[in-house]
């Protein structure tokens, strides 16, 4: 008899996005002609920029010749890429990062999900709420989350609500967590913390011996000066934070798969006897054992982004999406909705009208505007009463979506007058 990991059975059977897909399929079957615009899943739509394509081609050509063929690569990633990251993503921002502190991977989903391997099952976890579901579900799988609560959430996870009431700035934890997941710019709310606000978290973590797991997958979308691109811009963060980055949203690598994680050598954990252990060494051990390195070709593609031309091209794509974000923000505000985000992130977080739940708003937008978004409650209990739209669509579709949303608002106002 094969015993399974019972923790998996605690997870809800249906993942948020499969429930959305099911509802959209059902709607399409009933309305085959309906021009549905999908603004739900956070995938990109613009092609990979030419600089990266040239880098990928070089990688492919190398694989075709005996002299330049690459088989298994280093599990931590090729030095040529880690050096660029250390120089351009960190040193140019005044942060010294050794290349041995940088671990290339196949993306931030894997790393934010796998990082729990190196921590005790007894570690207490805190998350901001709403939250990127991977942080929570992987802790459920590891047995750290406790039991599902009837109102949403898990008994052993501390939820830090982020709502319009606190301007999406979470309060510091009360329950003395060991691991704190922070994601800024935030998915799903599209909001950020400024330097002083993030500084409070670093101070808290250092004073309480907590570790911040900082996901900055949307760093490339930051437009305001006072928003840190890396948690290591805050003094002392190298003693209390691991940072996750991704090429998915920065450069459209969602299909190519590439990201990296920074584990400073200054980070320490403790074994059962209270002896200090290097988290960098543990993560290296974990990666060399369970991961065989990211694709050579894809790493050559990413290397090419760290040139003036590469940077210019990805900035152009980011600007394309952020034009969508501005259009959505303004259009939805004109339609009388309260909206957040969309300034330093490609997500728009809408407050649903009074008395309308997230899922009711989902149904309304699908049925009356043929627009698919994501119900906020799918990201955690504090997401109820909110709704997420992404700016990752085509410009023309975004324009059309805004026009439909405005027309819905006009129809609704006329009905109530
Ligand atoms: N982290 C956050 C907050 C995300 O929203 C996403 C993707 O949607 C990821 C990580 C996953 O990134 P990757 O494609 O690098 O796995």
């Amino acid at each position: 008899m094969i015993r399974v990991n019972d923790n998996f059975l605690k997870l809800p059977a249906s993942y948020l996005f499969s429930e959305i897909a099911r509802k959209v399929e059902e709607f399409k079957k009933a309305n085959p002609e309906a021009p549905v615009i999908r603004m739900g899943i956070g995938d990109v739509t613009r092609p990979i920029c030419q600089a990266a394509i040239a880098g990928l081609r070089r990688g492919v050509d190398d694989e075709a010749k005996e002299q330049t063929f690459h088989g298994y690569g280093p599990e931590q990633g090729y030095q040529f890429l880690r050096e660029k990251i250390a120089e351009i993503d960190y040193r140019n921002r005044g942060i010294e990062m050794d290349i041995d502190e940088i671990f290339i991977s196949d993306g931030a989903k894997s790393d934010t999900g796998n990082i729990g391997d190196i921590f005790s099952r007894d570690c207490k976890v805190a998350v901001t709420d709403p939250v990127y579901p991977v942080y929570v579900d992987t802790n459920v799988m590891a047995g750290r989350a406790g039991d599902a609560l009837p109102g949403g959430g898990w008994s052993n996870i501390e939820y830090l609500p982020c709502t319009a009431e606190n301007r999406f700035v979470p309060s510091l934890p009360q329950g003395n967590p060991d691991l704190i997941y922070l994601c800024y710019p935030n998915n799903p709310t599209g909001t950020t913390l400024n330097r002083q606000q993030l500084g409070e978290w670093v101070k808290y973590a250092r004073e309480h011996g907590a570790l911040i797991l900082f996901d900055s997958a949307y760093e490339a979308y930051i437009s305001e000066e006072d928003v840190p691109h890396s948690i290591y811009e805050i003094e002392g963060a190298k003693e209390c934070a691991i940072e996750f980055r991704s090429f998915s949203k920065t450069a459209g690598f969602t299909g190519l798969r590439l990201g990296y994680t920074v584990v400073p050598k200054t980070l320490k954990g403790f074994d059962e006897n209270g002896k200090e252990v290097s988290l960098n060494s543990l993560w290296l051990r974990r990666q060399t054992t369970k991961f065989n390195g990211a694709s050579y070709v894809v790493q050559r593609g990413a290397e090419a982004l760290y040139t003036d031309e590469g940077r210019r091209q990805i900035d152009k794509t980011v600007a394309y999406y952020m034009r969508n974000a501005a259009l959505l923000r303004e259009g939805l505000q004109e339609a009388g909705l309260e909206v957040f985000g969309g300034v330093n992130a490609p997500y728009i977080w809408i407050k649903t009208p009074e008395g309308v739940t997230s899922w009711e708003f989902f149904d309304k937008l699908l049925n009356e505007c043929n627009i698919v978004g994501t119900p906020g409650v799918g990201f955690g209990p504090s997401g109820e009463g909110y709704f997420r739209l992404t700016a990752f669509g085509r410009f023309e579709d975004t324009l059309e979506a805004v026009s439909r949303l405005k027309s819905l608002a006009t129809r609704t106002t006329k009905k109530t007058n």
Side-chain angles (χ1 to χ4, degrees):
M1 191 174 74
I2 310 293
R3 283 282 287 115
V4 297
N5 178 349
D6 290 326
N7 295 315
F8 278 63
L9 312 180
K10 293 182 173 181
L11 289 165
S14 164
Y15 182 57
L16 169 67
F17 291 104
S18 33
E19 179 60 12
I20 293 172
R22 191 192 60 76
K23 278 187 172 248
V24 175
E25 255 340 280
E26 207 173 86
F27 177 80
K28 287 208 80 158
K29 227 182 250 165
N31 308 275
E33 303 299 318
V36 172
I37 300 178
R38 292 171 193 266
M39 306 176 90
I41 295 181
D43 200 358
V44 296
T45 52
R46 305 300 299 156
I48 308 287
C49 69
Q50 282 308 309
I53 294 292
L56 291 165
R57 285 210 176 101
R58 178 208 160 160
V60 170
D61 289 342
D62 284 351
E63 293 296 58
K65 289 184 238 120
E66 200 175 333
Q67 299 83 343
T68 49
F69 167 76
H70 286 71
Y72 287 126
E75 290 93 343
Q76 308 97 295
Y78 283 98
Q79 192 160 332
F80 63 77
L81 180 57
R82 289 190 291 147
E83 276 172 355
K84 291 278 186 241
I85 291 169
E87 179 196 335
I88 293 168
D89 289 345
Y90 292 104
R91 199 163 307 127
N92 286 359
R93 289 194 182 279
I95 303 158
E96 273 314 311
M97 204 59 79
D98 193 288
I99 65 162
D100 290 344
E101 297 175 302
I102 299 166
F103 297 79
I104 311 289
S105 73
D106 63 352
K109 184 175 187 174
S110 316
D111 286 355
T112 53
N114 291 330
I115 195 75
D117 278 11
I118 66 169
F119 302 114
S120 159
R121 189 178 164 274
D122 298 332
C123 281
K124 280 212 66 184
V125 171
V127 296
T128 55
D129 172 25
V131 62
Y132 177 54
V134 173
Y135 313 152
V136 172
D137 289 1
T138 54
N139 276 293
V140 174
M141 291 171 178
R144 277 189 209 101
D147 297 308
L149 299 171
W154 295 84
S155 58
N156 284 352
I157 292 187
E158 181 171 0
Y159 284 77
L160 307 166
C162 298
T163 59
E165 284 69 38
N166 61 11
R167 304 306 292 172
F168 302 94
V169 178
S171 298
L172 294 169
Q174 299 296 313
N176 234 350
D178 302 293
L179 306 173
I180 303 165
Y181 290 82
L182 294 181
C183 171
Y184 290 104
N186 188 259
N187 175 16
T189 66
T191 60
T192 49
L193 294 186
N194 63 28
R195 217 166 287 280
Q196 179 265 328
Q197 289 163 337
L198 189 58
E200 300 277 319
W201 282 89
V202 170
K203 183 165 173 275
Y204 170 90
R206 294 187 71 191
E207 284 173 2
H208 291 77
L211 181 72
I212 296 174
L213 301 171
F214 191 76
D215 186 344
S216 57
Y218 297 94
E219 163 276 329
Y221 292 82
I222 293 171
S223 66
E224 292 178 323
E225 264 302 301
D226 196 30
V227 178
H229 287 250
S230 162
I231 192 165
Y232 304 119
E233 289 177 43
I234 311 289
E235 209 186 315
K238 272 187 156 187
E239 275 80 53
C240 67
I242 288 176
E243 178 160 284
F244 304 92
R245 292 259 185 124
S246 170
F247 292 93
S248 286
K249 309 301 161 69
T250 306
F253 277 33
T254 53
L256 289 175
R257 310 302 309 140
L258 204 69
Y260 66 87
T261 289
V262 178
V263 188
K265 290 184 199 161
T266 33
L267 288 177
K268 301 281 179 249
F270 296 90
D271 71 8
E272 60 179 346
N273 302 313
K275 195 169 145 262
E276 265 188 13
V277 178
S278 153
L279 296 188
N280 178 285
S281 305
L282 285 195
W283 185 243
L284 178 65
R285 190 71 176 88
R286 191 266 171 214
Q287 288 299 80
T288 48
T289 302
K290 290 198 183 181
F291 183 61
N292 239 346
S295 149
Y296 168 72
V297 174
V298 178
Q299 291 186 65
R300 281 290 181 207
E303 179 194 26
L305 300 168
Y306 290 94
T307 55
D308 288 346
E309 192 48 34
R311 187 70 242 175
R312 229 185 337 268
Q313 291 175 5
I314 52 180
D315 283 351
K316 211 169 140 197
T317 307
V318 166
Y320 177 98
Y321 294 133
M322 291 312 277
R323 178 171 65 151
N324 287 348
L327 196 70
L328 278 168
R329 262 182 79 88
E330 285 155 26
L332 291 165
Q333 274 164 350
E334 278 172 40
L337 289 159
E338 202 179 348
V339 297
F340 306 93
V343 176
N344 296 294
Y347 293 116
I348 306 291
W349 193 239
I350 305 169
K351 178 105 192 70
T352 59
E354 191 68 32
V356 180
T357 68
S358 293
W359 277 110
E360 283 166 357
F361 198 67
F362 173 91
D363 290 333
K364 190 174 173 65
L365 255 50
L366 180 58
N367 289 307
E368 297 182 33
C369 302
N370 305 154
I371 291 172
V372 183
T374 314
V377 71
F379 296 102
S382 295
E384 181 55 281
Y386 293 90
F387 193 78
R388 191 190 76 174
L389 288 181
T390 92
F392 284 129
R394 291 171 58 240
F395 177 66
E396 297 74 16
D397 288 342
T398 309
L399 262 182
E400 171 61 21
V402 167
S403 145
R404 289 186 202 170
L405 288 160
K406 279 189 185 165
S407 136
L408 172 73
T410 317
R411 293 200 304 272
T412 313
T413 319
K414 273 198 190 133
K415 247 188 257 166
T416 52
N417 281 349

